[in-house]
């Protein structure tokens, strides 16, 4: 709707740009909405010849509703119009000293017109489009002032955790895009995604089985946030202040300044938060009948500073150049305290306390250059080039102290030092050409370079001097370059469509442990085909099928063999010999629309080779060392059902249910580990509109227990709630959120083997946050959310 306003404003200004500026009569006024007394920006004001009815000149009102026109004739009248309001005509203009001051002009809502416009987009709905599901944002979400993270939590199959981690069908590793490309805003190392509000979002595209157009990396899928094209000229912005318990305080300020040629945008955020984590572990040696138990609390206290700056330069109506950057700086303090008890034949023989003091600084920055060309023959005919650079650093030092409480002397001191640097560069070129209304070709290329260096050292206090432990000290170098090219062809008719594609990727990976000169070089090329088709039987029922081949390349922390000794009896390390896993993914999905309600039903099958199991434990002297390993193959078949049903205007339900049955085949240290298992996940969200303009939302999440290669993971059920109230005529929003209401979100895993038993349990606890947001100019109240990377 607003796009029409801006288009009409542009046409008016263009048509009258050439009219003589020698006007002797100045006409001013201010347009106000009658029921709220709020100024109306971007209303169209026309100067009309009273005899010929010809439009002589025109303008639009600015943020405060004011306008100014010039005329060299008195035989004129003024018309003021704005979509959703009755047109106002002002005649009998009486000049005074060469000026006409119309003062305050009130316009009224056109209720008939509003009803026609609003009904079309009342409720957010899901629809199919060949290789994706599109979640269109309706008024039920766009008017809430919620952040993009909250909107994502309403999208079927998508979940956002307390820390802002996004998962799809219960799996993390989701690739986030903004308008179809990687962006500073969507980066997991920035804080900007939480500052996109629901009213800015046109739709969210969920791609569970990506076509060859997209990077073959990752098995979870892609989420693409498509922003509205509307323009808000002038200075717009929003400010947010949050307070939380445990400590979670932050302030965010977003500013946007738009002119005819430039769109300048910025965001500043600062904050302080504490993340407690209660931990418990049991290491039991069944052969020797000994047991080690630990219990304690770990903190991650963080201060963070973030700034985003960028500009869009509209060279002309067909060419746009974007340059943006993000800088963040974090200061970490990680105090922890764990009590250890050692038992022999069920008798405690010693106990001690291990404390940690860790300090770290994490500088991060990103920059993005994008060029977009739109061709006049078709709005879908687009050439897009983007270059994205990222840097992350960590300078960390830790002091560990073991103090004996009773029994055997366990006094000890250790130090660790980490100097970590990572640089990542992505260059992407995409070209889309619709040859007809139904047939489209896409082609492009992508080059990703990832360079990492991690210098890690462990020292033990021996005879009053700290001595480096060579077995746990090394410099790890990681270099990975991935070049990909692709092509797709799509036919999409009114009822039936098909899309085929092929992607070729070459991966060049080199790792090196500098101190020991141990290297692992891999160079491999792979083809990634894709096929998608959909058929629309009628307005109520559509069917979609899809196939794609995917790859999961081991991440840095999967490969880096450094040791995490926070708990030096449960040590996590990487595996530099890890190989990539490949997955063939098949899907069949149905969508049913029943009036305001909708339901999606899908069946999927995945076959994975060189499957990576992330927690394979080896046990010696009550020390558990775990790392990721490639173990055989996985056959997985799943059923997914999700739907939305608005029972009434004041209450609606959104549900998501996923069942996954899988078979694992492989061996570990010569022992077969073949087994079958399944897992249920579910989410139910209820939205209720209460009196006094209060919105209430509660979400219940459930994840069943499941077997693993060496044991099992326990079930998990927890609930979140939120309250939101608009104030100050909708420009302000008060938010209250409670994550994990009943403090029931507990991660618990068991490793059950013939000669040893392990239990690991962790719990973050309840988080309560109270926030206030205020939008100014044409800005909307929004949330500022701090997302973390490590």
């Amino acid at each position: 709707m607003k796009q029409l306003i801006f288009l009409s404003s542009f046409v008016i200004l263009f048509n009258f740009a050439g009219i003589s500026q020698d006007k002797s009569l100045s006409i001013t006024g201010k347009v106000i909405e009658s029921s709220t007394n709020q100024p109306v920006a971007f209303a169209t004001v026309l100067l009309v010849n009273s005899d010929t009815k010809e439009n002589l000149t025109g303008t639009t009102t600015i943020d405060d509703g004011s306008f100014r026109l010039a005329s060299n004739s008195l035989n004129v009248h003024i018309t003021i119009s704005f979509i959703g309001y009755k047109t106002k005509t002002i005649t009998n203009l009486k000049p005074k000293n060469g000026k006409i001051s119309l003062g305050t002009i009130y316009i009224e809502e056109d209720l008939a017109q509003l009803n026609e416009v609003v009904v079309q987009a009342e409720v957010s709905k899901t629809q199919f489009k060949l290789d994706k599901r599109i979640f269109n944002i309706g008024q039920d979400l766009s008017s809430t002032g919620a952040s993009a993270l909250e909107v994502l939590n309403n999208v079927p199959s998508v979940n956002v955790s307390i820390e802002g981690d996004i998962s799809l069908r219960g799996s993390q590793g989701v690739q986030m895009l903004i308008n179809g490309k990687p962006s500073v805003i969507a980066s997991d190392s920035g804080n900007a995604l939480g500052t996109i509000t629901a009213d800015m979002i046109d739709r969210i595209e969920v791609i569970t089985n990506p076509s060859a157009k997209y990077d073959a990396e990752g098995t979870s899928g892609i989420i693409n946030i498509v922003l509205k094209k509307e323009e808000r000229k002038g200075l717009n912005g929003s400010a947010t202040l949050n307070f939380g318990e445990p400590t979670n305080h932050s302030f965010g300020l977003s500013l946007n300044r738009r002119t005819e040629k430039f769109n300048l945008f910025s965001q500043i955020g600062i904050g302080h938060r504490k993340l407690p984590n209660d931990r418990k572990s049991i290491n039991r040696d069944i052969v020797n009948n000994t047991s080690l138990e630990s219990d304690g609390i770990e903190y991650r206290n963080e201060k963070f500073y973030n700034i985003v700056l960028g500009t869009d330069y509209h060279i002309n109506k067909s060419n746009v150049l974007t340059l943006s950057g993000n800088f963040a700086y974090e200061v970490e303090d990680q105090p922890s305290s764990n009590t250890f008890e050692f038992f022999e034949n069920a008798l405690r023989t010693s106990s001690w306390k291990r404390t940690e003091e860790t300090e770290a600084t994490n500088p991060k920055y990103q920059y993005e250059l994008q060029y977009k060309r739109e061709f006049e023959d078709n709005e879908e005919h687009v050439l897009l080039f983007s270059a994205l650079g990222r840097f992350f650093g960590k300078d960390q030092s830790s002091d560990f102290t073991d103090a004996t409480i009773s029994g055997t002397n366990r006094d000890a001191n250790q130090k660790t030092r980490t100097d970590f640097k990572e640089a990542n560069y992505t260059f992407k070129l995409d070209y889309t050409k619709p040859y007809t209304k139904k047939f489209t070709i896409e082609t492009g290329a992508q080059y990703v370079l990832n360079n990492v260096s991690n210098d890690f050292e462990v020292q033990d206090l021996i005879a009053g001097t700290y001595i480096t432990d060579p077995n746990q000290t090394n410099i790890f170098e990681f270099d990975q370059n991935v070049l990909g090219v692709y092509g797709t062809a799509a036919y999409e008719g009114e009822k039936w469509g098909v899309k085929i594609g092929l992607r070729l990727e070459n991966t060049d990976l080199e790792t090196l442990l500098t101190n020991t000169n141990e290297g692992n070089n891999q160079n491999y090329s792979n083809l990634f085909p894709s096929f998608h088709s959909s058929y629309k039987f009628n307005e109520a029922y559509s069917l979609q099928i899809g196939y794609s081949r995917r790859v999961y390349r081991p991440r840095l922390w999967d490969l880096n063999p450094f040791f995490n000794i926070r708990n030096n009896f449960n040590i996590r390390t990487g595996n530099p010999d890890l190989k990539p896993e490949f997955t063939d993914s098949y899907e069949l999905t149905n969508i049913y629309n029943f009036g305001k309600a909708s339901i999606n039903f899908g069946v999927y099958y995945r076959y994975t080779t060189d499957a990576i199991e992330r927690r394979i434990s080896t046990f010696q002297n009550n020390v558990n060392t775990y790392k990721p390993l490639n173990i055989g193959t996985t056959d997985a078949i799943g059923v997914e059902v999700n739907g939305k049903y608005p029972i009434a205007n004041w209450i609606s339900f959104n549900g998501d249910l996923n069942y996954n049955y899988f078979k694992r085949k492989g061996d570990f240290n010569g022992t077969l580990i073949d087994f079958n298992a399944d897992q249920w996940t579910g989410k139910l969200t209820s939205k209720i509109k209460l009196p006094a303009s209060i919105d209430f939302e509660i979400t219940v999440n459930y994840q069943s227990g499941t077997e693993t290669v060496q044991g099992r993971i326990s079930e998990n059920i927890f609930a979140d709630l939120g309250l939101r109230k608009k104030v100050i005529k909708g420009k302000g929003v008060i938010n209250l959120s409670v994550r994990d209401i009943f403090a029931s979100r507990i991660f618990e895993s068991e490793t059950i083997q013939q000669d040893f038993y392990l239990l690991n349990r962790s719990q973050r606890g309840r988080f309560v946050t109270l926030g206030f947001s205020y939008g100014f100019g044409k800005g909307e109240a929004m949330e500022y959310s701090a997302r973390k990377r490590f």
Side-chain angles (χ1 to χ4, degrees), residues 372-423:
K372 183 177 182 180
R373 173 170 174 76
E374 297 178 340
F375 297 87
E376 295 183 359
D377 59 329
N378 191 306
E379 63 178 6
E380 300 292 332
H381 189 186
V382 174
L383 174 69
L384 180 66
F385 169 78
S386 63
L388 181 68
R390 302 173 181 172
F391 173 83
F392 176 82
K394 179 181 282 287
D395 184 3
Q396 178 173 298
S397 61
S398 301
D399 291 299
F400 298 93
T401 301
D402 292 350
T404 303
I405 298 174
S406 64
T408 307
N409 184 8
R410 295 282 186 166
D411 290 353
N413 293 87
Q414 285 181 307
K415 288 180 179 290
T416 65
R417 174 189 56 81
T418 302
D419 183 11
F420 175 85
K421 294 181 177 64
E422 178 183 14

Side-chain angles (χ1 to χ4, degrees), residues 2-3 137-148 151 195-203 225-230 232 236-238 726 730-731 733 775 778-783:
K2 292 186 178 179
Q3 289 92 326
I137 308 300
Q139 280 196 333
D140 58 325
L141 288 178
S142 64
S143 62
T144 63
S147 72
V151 175
T195 63
I196 298 177
T197 56
D199 76 298
M200 299 177 183
I201 301 172
D202 178 63
R203 64 188 184 274
I225 300 175
V226 181
L227 302 179
K228 292 177 180 177
K229 295 181 180 179
E230 65 175 299
R232 293 175 174 180
N236 313 302
S238 177
K726 287 193 173 185
K731 299 296 286 184
V733 174
K778 293 297 290 184
E780 301 287 340
M782 64 179 68
E783 285 192 23

